[in-house]
């Protein structure tokens, strides 16, 4: 099967040849397994969801904007005339006249179809998978992530070094680093240098973009004992008992914790150590400036479930998960972890475009609506920074450093 390559640039996203070829390989593998017809059917369902969801969100969309996809699918370089024709043919969309202009609206049948489609995509796990992929893609494409993270989390490097000390990493050990990203723990915190050429450090991260940035660092040069592997903590490609230690910073909250912890235990030898630093659950709504700044997100969450979905848990919950996985000699620390909300543009870039905070609330909004919310958050941030002092815009985020032994 031969697929034509199309190189597109949307906003700040560039799809290069390597990424495109990897995507084609995945599409071909899918077709071999499930058939091309199933791929087309699935694609039609997903594009139908994007179309109908956008119309439902706005109530109506100008026909011209719908055909261009400018409000909900700006990445396409073709007219959505076929989508409109099929929608009208199957009575899910209709064309209305408002102030002498043509608009697209949902029919009652279209609203029913959208509700059924949402339920099917939710049940299939599509929405949760999409949010997870959005997290990964954010890291792939965000070149400034490390620089902004250091500004917003000034104690981050201290925590990384503390994790190395607490877990007792020594020269000559074979260590697995999970969620290695662009390498701040690997290089700047000194993990690779400490392990040295008599040992082995394997860095694993699901974001290829982050790992490429790590490899390009000057500190990475000539460190032949450092290996990079794209992968997820839930499915580690290593034999049982391969490593003396498995550690990572701020990665557990992005994983299926139970599966990740089981894998971490499996690939660590008996007597080996596992360590993690991660943020803990925190109700941001109790902070006046944050509540004002991110009010648009909270309003969206209120319509869904009452509050934004959190991927963070309490210290007790993490300890319980380590215990259930069978780790012993579990030690837990609660180090200081201040967050600085010093610059609106940088804060939005880091938390929304980088970390992917509130992705659950933003993921199912049409593209234009997300951009509008980003602009609104930027404006609110500027107003909040004028209203509250720098000291008032510091949040002492609870964090946990946990160390455990494999029996």
């Amino acid at each position: 099967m031969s697929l034509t390559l199309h190189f597109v640039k949307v906003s700040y996203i560039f799809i290069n040849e390597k990424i495109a070829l990897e995507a084609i390989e995945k599409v071909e593998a899918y077709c071999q397994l499930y058939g091309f017809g199933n791929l087309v059917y699935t694609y039609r369902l997903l594009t139908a969801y994007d179309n109908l969801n956008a119309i439902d969100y706005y109530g109506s969309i100008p026909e011209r904007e719908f055909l261009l996809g400018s409000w909900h699918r700006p990445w396409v370089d073709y007219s959505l005339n076929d989508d409109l024709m099929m929608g009208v043919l199957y009575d899910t969309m209709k064309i209305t006249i408002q102030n002498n202009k043509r608009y697209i609206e949902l029919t009652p049948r279209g609203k029913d179809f959208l509700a059924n489609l949402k339920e099917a995509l939710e049940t299939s796990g599509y929405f949760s998978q999409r949010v997870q992929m959005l997290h990964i893609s954010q890291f792939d494409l965000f070149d400034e992530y490390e620089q902004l993270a250091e500004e917003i989390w000034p104690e981050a490097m201290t925590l990384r070094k503390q994790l190395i000390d607490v877990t007792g990493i020594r020269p000559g050990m074979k260590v697995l680093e999970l969620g290695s990203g662009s390498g701040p723990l690997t290089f700047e915190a000194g993990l690779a240098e400490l392990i040295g050429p008599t040992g082995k450090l394997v860095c694993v991260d699901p974001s290829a973009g982050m790992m490429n940035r790590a490899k390009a660092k000057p500190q990475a040069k000539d460190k032949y004992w450092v290996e990079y592997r794209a992968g997820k903590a839930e499915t580690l490609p290593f034999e049982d008992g391969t490593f003396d230690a498995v550690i990572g910073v701020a990665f557990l909250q992005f994983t299926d914790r139970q599966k990740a912890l089981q894998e971490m235990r499996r690939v660590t030898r008996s007597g080996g150590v596992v360590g993690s630093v991660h943020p803990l659950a925190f109700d941001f709504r109790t902070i006046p400036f944050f509540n004002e700044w991110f009010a648009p997100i909270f309003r969206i969450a209120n319509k869904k479930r009452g509050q934004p979905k959190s991927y963070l848990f309490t210290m007790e919950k993490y300890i319980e998960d380590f215990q259930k996985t069978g780790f012993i000699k579990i030690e837990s620390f609660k180090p200081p972890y201040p967050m600085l909300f010093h610059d609106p543009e940088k804060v939005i870039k880091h938390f929304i475009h980088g970390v992917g905070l509130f992705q659950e609330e933003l993921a199912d909004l049409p593209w234009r609506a997300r951009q509008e919310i980003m602009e609104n958050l930027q404006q609110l941030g500027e107003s909040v920074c004028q209203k509250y002092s720098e000291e008032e815009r510091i949040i002492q985020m609870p964090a946990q450093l946990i160390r455990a032994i494999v029996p």
Side-chain angles (χ1 to χ4, degrees):
M1 173 176 141
S2 177
L3 298 177
T4 303
L5 287 177
H6 293 278
F7 299 97
V8 297
K9 190 171 183 180
V10 179
S11 186
Y12 301 106
I13 303 175
F14 182 72
I15 308 301
N16 59 31
E17 184 175 4
K18 180 181 177 182
I19 294 173
L21 289 172
E22 289 178 355
I24 288 175
E25 289 177 3
K26 291 182 182 296
V27 170
E28 291 179 338
Y30 179 94
C31 290
Q32 290 175 3
L33 188 61
Y34 299 106
F36 184 72
N38 193 56
L39 173 68
V40 173
Y41 177 71
T42 302
Y43 175 77
R44 292 303 303 171
L45 286 179
L46 297 179
T47 54
Y49 171 76
D50 285 338
N51 291 335
L52 300 177
N53 186 56
I55 299 171
D56 183 59
Y57 180 85
Y58 288 109
S60 64
I61 295 180
E63 182 183 35
R64 181 177 181 276
E65 304 303 333
F66 180 88
L67 295 177
L68 292 173
S70 56
W71 285 20
H72 63 303
R73 293 167 62 191
W75 48 87
V76 302
D77 58 357
Y78 53 84
S79 171
L80 299 182
N81 186 65
D82 288 348
D83 298 61
L84 176 57
M85 182 178 66
M86 294 296 290
V88 172
L89 179 64
Y90 285 101
D91 191 30
T92 58
M93 304 179 195
K94 63 181 179 181
I95 298 174
T96 63
I97 306 297
Q98 303 175 29
N99 299 322
N100 297 319
K101 293 183 179 180
R102 290 161 64 94
Y103 284 78
I104 312 301
E105 295 182 2
L106 293 186
T107 64
R109 183 175 181 178
K111 292 181 179 181
D112 290 340
F113 180 62
L114 176 60
N116 292 332
L117 190 53
K118 280 184 176 180
E119 183 179 357
L121 293 175
E122 181 71 41
T123 303
S124 70
Y126 169 76
F127 288 135
S128 60
Q129 178 71 10
R130 184 171 69 168
V131 170
Q132 186 179 41
M133 294 308 295
L134 279 171
H135 279 303
I136 295 173
S137 66
Q138 302 278 70
F139 290 126
D140 265 339
L141 300 164
F142 194 27
D143 291 331
E144 300 175 86
Y145 178 79
E146 188 176 325
Q147 175 187 342
L148 291 185
E150 295 302 322
E151 291 184 35
I152 292 172
W153 308 86
E155 294 297 322
M157 188 57 65
T158 300
L159 273 181
R160 295 185 189 107
K161 293 179 179 179
Q162 188 177 354
L163 176 64
I164 295 173
D165 291 339
V166 167
T167 49
I169 306 297
R170 302 184 304 278
M173 291 180 71
K174 191 170 185 179
V175 178
L176 173 63
E177 181 191 344
L178 296 177
S180 56
S182 56
L185 175 64
T186 314
F187 300 114
E188 283 80 2
L191 180 60
E193 191 70 31
L194 174 62
I195 292 170
T198 59
K200 180 77 173 180
L201 174 60
V202 181
C203 300
V204 171
D205 196 282
S207 168
M210 281 288 212
M211 298 197 74
N212 287 336
R213 290 194 281 277
K215 295 176 188 178
K217 285 186 173 182
Q219 302 98 316
K221 186 179 180 181
D222 299 329
K223 289 188 171 56
Y224 57 84
W225 61 92
V226 180
E227 178 185 335
Y228 306 89
R229 299 280 288 272
K232 296 182 178 181
E234 298 91 336
T235 53
L236 295 173
F238 308 107
E239 298 293 330
D240 295 0
T242 299
F243 299 96
D244 299 309
V246 177
I247 66 173
V249 174
F251 77 95
L252 265 182
Q253 69 270 26
F254 295 119
T255 69
D256 180 324
R257 277 188 337 286
Q258 295 296 335
K259 291 182 179 179
L261 289 173
Q262 288 167 4
E263 282 289 270
M264 291 163 69
R265 177 184 173 180
R266 180 184 65 80
V267 301
T268 307
R269 65 169 177 79
S270 177
V273 64
V274 167
S276 170
V277 169
H278 41 260
L280 297 172
F282 182 75
D283 189 355
F284 289 98
R285 295 174 303 171
T286 62
I287 308 297
F289 87 84
F290 194 96
N291 208 23
E292 290 183 32
W293 191 335
F294 292 91
I297 303 292
F298 293 128
R299 284 195 291 269
I300 294 172
N302 284 335
K303 294 179 181 179
K304 288 186 172 184
R305 63 181 71 84
Q307 62 181 359
K309 182 172 181 179
S310 175
Y311 294 89
L312 305 180
F313 296 86
T314 64
M315 176 179 285
E316 292 74 21
K317 178 59 179 172
Y318 277 109
I319 293 174
E320 179 186 334
D321 289 340
F322 271 76
Q323 291 171 336
K324 286 182 178 179
T325 309
F327 291 106
I328 60 174
K329 298 181 180 179
I330 300 169
E331 297 179 77
S332 177
F333 309 89
K334 197 172 182 180
Y337 205 27
M339 288 188 296
L340 310 186
F341 289 78
H342 60 311
D343 181 289
E345 182 180 359
K346 290 180 178 180
V347 167
I348 298 302
K349 276 187 177 181
H350 176 72
F351 284 106
I352 306 297
H353 298 294
V355 174
L357 189 66
F358 304 130
Q359 283 303 316
E360 190 80 22
E361 282 63 46
L362 297 173
D364 61 352
L365 295 182
W367 182 86
R368 180 172 177 259
R370 290 198 296 270
Q371 304 311 306
E372 290 170 344
I373 287 179
M374 294 302 102
E375 293 172 5
N376 192 6
L377 290 176
Q378 178 78 24
Q379 294 170 358
L380 284 171
E382 292 170 359
S383 174
V384 163
C385 287
Q386 292 178 356
K387 180 178 179 180
Y388 295 87
S389 69
E390 289 189 7
E391 286 296 318
E392 290 174 311
R393 287 182 277 117
I394 297 175
I395 294 179
Q396 296 298 331
M397 181 74 183
Q400 179 182 31
L401 192 163
I402 193 166
R403 174 187 184 275
I405 301 296
V406 175

